[in-house]
Amino acid sequence: MPEPSPCPPPSGAPRWVAMVHEAARDSWVPAAQSPYRTPVLYAVGEMTRTVRARGAELTLALWGPEGGGWRLYGTPEEKAAAERPVVGDEQGDLAEPGESAEPREPSETSEPAETGGPDKLVERMTNRRHQVLTAALSRAGLYDLAPEDGAAVRALAGRLDEPTVRRVAHWLAAAAGASAAG
């Protein structure tokens, strides 16, 4: 596979941006961006998992703020040197060699961001899991949920991770299909 062109910095004010290389056009496009590092790393992990499940590889670079400007944190060259994709260590954080893997938030020199960014992400992801479970229950024929059913769905959405919620939704859809067929 030919070596990708160098990744240019994203346009606009410095923030956390994951850039993906499109081999067909030999160009880099933003795939995820946020004033916070953690949501971008989460998105990178999910994208990588999806692309690998399809039998392909993902070439990406992570840009972030430093001193009011842009800094490249992860590149394809580091990927080749490490002989694995630049998606992070076991905790899911990207780190330079010799650097701590602690998550970084925007520095004081970067643009002020909305307050409660990570909390909003957690709330959004919980709402998303709740929506997936509710839709799966509807597909299974359970439309009219009692208040205690709603509380149970909220408890599941708050405690289960995304892949587990998808698996439960799959089971419900399969059960709905089996009951409709027989």
Side-chain angles (χ1 to χ4, degrees):
M1 186 163 106
E3 191 68 26
S5 60
C7 181
S11 60
R15 61 205 176 280
W16 291 98
V17 179
M19 301 285 285
V20 175
H21 184 258
E22 289 184 341
R25 297 187 309 182
D26 193 29
S27 65
W28 291 86
V29 294
Q33 52 189 317
S34 172
Y36 298 95
R37 186 173 191 214
T38 305
V40 173
L41 294 178
Y42 179 83
V44 164
E46 289 296 313
M47 284 185 283
T48 302
R49 186 176 302 127
T50 301
V51 169
R52 284 187 179 162
R54 294 177 182 158
E57 281 298 317
L58 184 67
T59 303
L60 60 93
L62 179 68
W63 286 88
E66 182 175 79
W70 288 103
R71 176 177 172 206
L72 183 59
Y73 286 90
T75 64
E77 291 79 27
E78 291 172 7
K79 173 183 172 183
E83 296 182 351
R84 68 178 200 174
V86 182
V87 294
D89 61 12
E90 289 71 33
Q91 289 96 21
D93 288 327
L94 291 170
E96 293 291 312
E99 211 178 86
S100 122
E102 292 298 312
R104 293 181 213 109
E105 297 301 322
S107 65
E108 292 80 33
T109 58
S110 65
E111 293 292 316
E114 63 186 40
T115 58
D119 293 340
K120 284 189 175 194
L121 174 68
V122 169
E123 180 183 352
R124 191 179 84 208
M125 295 307 292
T126 302
N127 289 342
R128 179 174 152 182
R129 290 189 301 270
H130 181 273
Q131 182 180 15
V132 167
L133 288 169
T134 304
L137 288 168
S138 294
R139 273 187 233 116
L142 302 170
Y143 304 105
D144 189 21
L145 298 178
E148 59 268 12
D149 295 330
V153 171
R154 280 190 297 281
L156 282 172
R159 291 189 180 103
L160 297 178
D161 60 337
E162 191 80 21
T164 305
V165 166
R166 283 193 222 115
R167 195 73 199 148
V168 170
H170 172 75
W171 293 338
L172 289 167
S179 66

